Amino acid sequence: MATLESTRASAPGKFILFGEHAVVYGEPALAAPLQSLRARARVSRAAAETPIGLFLTADEISLRTHYANLKPTHPLAAIVRGTLQAVGSSGAPRAHLQVSSNIPIAAGLGSSAATAAAVAQALARFLQHELSPERLSELVFEVEKLQHGTPSGIDNTVIAHEQPVFFSKGASTEVLKLARPLSFVLADSGQRSSTRDAVVRVRQRYNSRRSAYQSSFTEMGNIARAARTALARGDSSRLGELMCRNHARLQEIGVSCPPLDRLVEAAIRAGAPGAKLSGAGLGGHIIAHVHRGDGDRVGSALAAAGARSVIMTELTPSANAA
Ligand code: MEV
């Protein structure tokens, strides 16, 4: 198959605004790309002296190996295999695949899905194909299943489409409508956690306390629908109130923890209209909605309350909104 000299692709991190965990049980959730953090992949034609096959390097995880040496269930092996199949390639090209990312791992920001998306697109381009966002999302979803067990599909969707979305499993995804730009601050608790573990823990508790968990999920779905309306109206105080209510439901299902609760409280004390954990929980990040111009003040309060780092981000009205 014909290849190019060198190709690149990148994909953003993501944050969940509303509905994490409930989305696994069929409720809607809202998520957006985090453009300031990205995973990147570069595929370049191997030098003549390089052994046959695809050689992979990923400095953040100290990986330097041949594709053929990776276990088939390794996420990089899985996305390479899926991409080769998707573009109809009979085998891996003789090339060097370099992966890098500034998305913290196991922090609720979609690092695994973004890495897979960047690799798939860079490799497809090397083989002279361009993956549509839909195809990219499907390929990444297969890898997410290997890593996380029963993912809802929200991470691959938001990362492949690079748009803020209202997502429900099995329904068509809507691009979120926004009346005006809205500001948010993400704060890192410094505690790392695995999405798979958090999802499994919720599943075990759901199996033993089904009606209590079902009513928390139903309520989170109602909150997500109300949040869609608040965003479309640009109603900051309603949005903030809904974030706090969503956090309380996430506490109820056992995925918050003291460092996350401390950060949520610090954001509210500093004047944020609302805050909640974001992502799988049990560590990772919180997200606070802030009034325009308040980001630095709330960010400093979060740092003083123990945040390892803070990220400012904005949701802006999209031309493609439904
Ligand atoms: C992870 O970003 C969000 C969860 O709801 C898991 C999923 O939807 O697959 C915790």
Side-chain angles (χ1 to χ4, degrees):
M1 184 173 280
T3 62
L4 297 173
E5 257 329 291
S6 160
T7 51
R8 294 170 191 270
S10 73
K14 69 94 203 355
F15 59 95
I16 307 255
L17 260 177
F18 288 94
E20 51 275 269
H21 289 289
V23 67
V24 174
Y25 297 80
E27 297 295 338
L30 281 64
L34 194 52
Q35 298 289 0
S36 60
L37 297 181
R38 297 190 81 85
R40 296 173 198 282
R42 176 169 189 250
V43 182
S44 39
R45 197 173 282 175
E49 66 273 15
T50 310
I52 301 292
L54 182 66
F55 190 74
L56 290 89
T57 53
D59 290 342
E60 278 82 14
I61 54 166
S62 307
L63 181 92
R64 288 183 69 77
T65 192
H66 280 95
Y67 168 57
N69 293 340
L70 289 173
K71 282 197 183 136
T73 51
H74 189 289
L76 286 174
I79 194 65
V80 167
R81 188 172 62 245
T83 307
L84 295 174
Q85 275 164 10
V87 303
S89 173
S90 53
R94 179 173 175 166
H96 182 190
L97 165 60
Q98 289 163 281
V99 183
S100 63
S101 170
N102 62 353
I103 308 171
I105 294 169
L109 300 182
S111 128
S112 56
T115 301
V119 167
Q121 193 65 281
L123 184 58
R125 285 177 182 162
F126 189 72
L127 299 166
Q128 306 207 28
H129 285 260
E130 182 74 19
L131 299 169
S132 67
E134 291 73 25
R135 191 75 190 99
L136 189 58
S137 179
E138 283 164 11
L139 288 173
V140 175
F141 187 50
E142 291 308 310
V143 181
E144 291 284 285
K145 282 196 257 182
L146 277 180
Q147 283 186 284
H148 303 317
T150 55
S152 62
I154 193 168
D155 286 15
N156 47 288
T157 301
V158 67
I159 283 167
H161 290 267
E162 299 204 29
Q163 298 270 20
V165 295
F166 180 85
F167 172 93
S168 299
K169 245 173 33 175
S172 57
T173 300
E174 279 172 38
V175 176
L176 278 177
K177 226 198 266 175
L178 276 104
R180 61 186 175 89
L182 293 167
S183 304
F184 296 87
V185 178
L186 285 146
D188 186 355
S189 67
Q191 200 160 300
R192 294 294 168 252
S193 79
S194 127
T195 299
R196 174 187 275 275
D197 292 352
V199 170
V200 166
R201 178 183 172 134
V202 172
R203 173 70 62 188
Q204 284 164 346
R205 292 174 172 208
Y206 170 79
N207 286 340
S208 62
R209 295 180 52 211
R210 203 165 271 248
S211 83
Y213 270 61
Q214 190 51 59
S215 79
S216 299
F217 295 145
T218 304
E219 175 62 9
M220 287 192 248
N222 291 337
I223 290 170
R225 281 181 277 269
R228 173 175 55 174
T229 307
L231 286 170
R233 292 187 178 146
D235 186 342
S236 267
S237 52
R238 174 78 171 142
L239 193 67
E241 174 215 324
L242 291 165
M243 289 174 87
C244 293
R245 279 174 49 195
N246 195 160
H247 186 68
R249 299 284 84 78
L250 290 162
Q251 287 175 315
E252 229 164 58
I253 64 163
V255 291
S256 194
C257 58
L260 291 173
D261 291 342
R262 267 198 296 280
L263 293 177
V264 166
E265 282 156 25
I268 305 291
R269 266 201 312 276
K276 61 181 278 293
L277 74 81
S278 178
L282 299 175
H285 283 71
I286 66 119
I287 183 157
H289 172 39
V290 292
H291 294 299
R292 261 197 148 182
D294 267 6
D296 286 343
R297 199 167 47 77
V298 175
S300 304
L302 285 164
R308 183 170 289 182
S309 61
V310 294
I311 302 165
M312 312 286 168
T313 190
E314 234 187 26
L315 283 185
T316 47
S318 155
N320 303 342

